[in-house]
Amino acid sequence: MNIYDFKVENNEGKLIDLSDYENKVLLVVNTATKCGYTKQYKYLEEIYQDYKDKGFEILDFPCNQFGGQAPGSDEEINKFVCEVYDTSFPRFKKIEVNGDNASPLYKWLKSIDGKEIGWNFTKFLIGRDGEIIKKMTARTGEQSIRKKIEEAL
């Protein structure tokens, strides 16, 4: 099993087959709009712009499980992030990442270490083969993330 085996809903309710991203390096992130780490959207967009033409994508999955820090509808979240941080990478439907109602994608992502997601802006780097390369916490610095992406590209 790899990431290409999953289908997820985008923020407009359309079912997206993640095999559409085959042969790309992916950064999968659970996000929140009212979190101390929300400002990471700024450098995530910069990273996206720097690498998207080299076969890189960021997949943004809003999640309200950590302190209720992703309130609002998918439409409201998208509007806020686009207006405040001018993001252009794909955003998906708000999901749960932990517990019984965790999305199947996140159940698979957590298989890398068997641990629950600790907080907003946990990142998973996925290689061109669809396999998990690395799990990174919200505290992982931008330069470390860039280095790992460059290695994967």
Side-chain angles (χ1 to χ4, degrees), residues 2 70 78 89 127 133 145:
N2 65 40
N78 190 57
F89 47 82
I133 295 173
I145 295 168

Side-chain angles (χ1 to χ4, degrees), residues 13-60:
K14 180 181 176 193
L15 194 62
I16 305 297
D17 191 329
L18 293 183
S19 67
D20 292 350
Y21 295 99
E22 196 164 357
N23 296 317
K24 294 194 176 212
V25 172
L26 305 174
L27 190 67
V28 179
V29 187
N30 65 294
T31 61
T33 54
K34 306 277 187 212
C35 174
Y37 293 113
T38 301
K39 62 186 180 243
Q40 288 187 14
Y41 269 120
K42 182 180 185 306
Y43 79 68
L44 288 172
E45 179 62 21
E46 290 168 1
I47 288 171
Y48 182 62
Q49 291 301 321
D50 289 345
Y51 300 115
K52 71 178 183 173
D53 293 335
K54 296 177 182 176
F56 173 73
E57 291 286 341
I58 294 175
L59 307 182
D60 176 358

Side-chain angles (χ1 to χ4, degrees), residues 34-145:
K34 306 277 187 212
C35 174
Y37 293 113
T38 301
K39 62 186 180 243
Q40 288 187 14
Y41 269 120
K42 182 180 185 306
Y43 79 68
L44 288 172
E45 179 62 21
E46 290 168 1
I47 288 171
Y48 182 62
Q49 291 301 321
D50 289 345
Y51 300 115
K52 71 178 183 173
D53 293 335
K54 296 177 182 176
F56 173 73
E57 291 286 341
I58 294 175
L59 307 182
D60 176 358
F61 290 89
C63 176
N64 198 38
Q65 282 188 287
F66 304 102
Q69 294 180 347
S73 67
D74 291 319
E75 183 179 325
E76 290 166 331
I77 290 168
N78 190 57
K79 182 178 181 199
F80 170 82
V81 176
C82 289
E83 288 178 358
V84 175
Y85 295 100
D86 197 26
T87 60
S88 58
F89 47 82
R91 189 156 299 103
F92 295 86
K93 182 177 179 165
K94 189 185 330 183
I95 61 166
E96 290 188 15
V97 298
N98 290 330
D100 292 340
N101 295 321
S103 80
L105 172 63
Y106 267 81
K107 288 178 182 178
W108 174 75
L109 288 169
K110 293 184 296 186
S111 71
I112 189 173
D113 63 6
K115 296 180 183 175
E116 294 291 287
I117 303 300
W119 201 250
N120 304 310
F121 289 89
T122 297
K123 299 158 192 79
F124 291 89
L125 184 63
I126 310 296
R128 292 184 189 274
D129 61 358
E131 299 296 328
I132 304 166
I133 295 173
K134 177 116 179 118
K135 178 181 180 182
M136 297 172 271
T137 70
R139 293 184 180 144
T140 304
E142 177 183 355
Q143 293 311 313
S144 294
I145 295 168

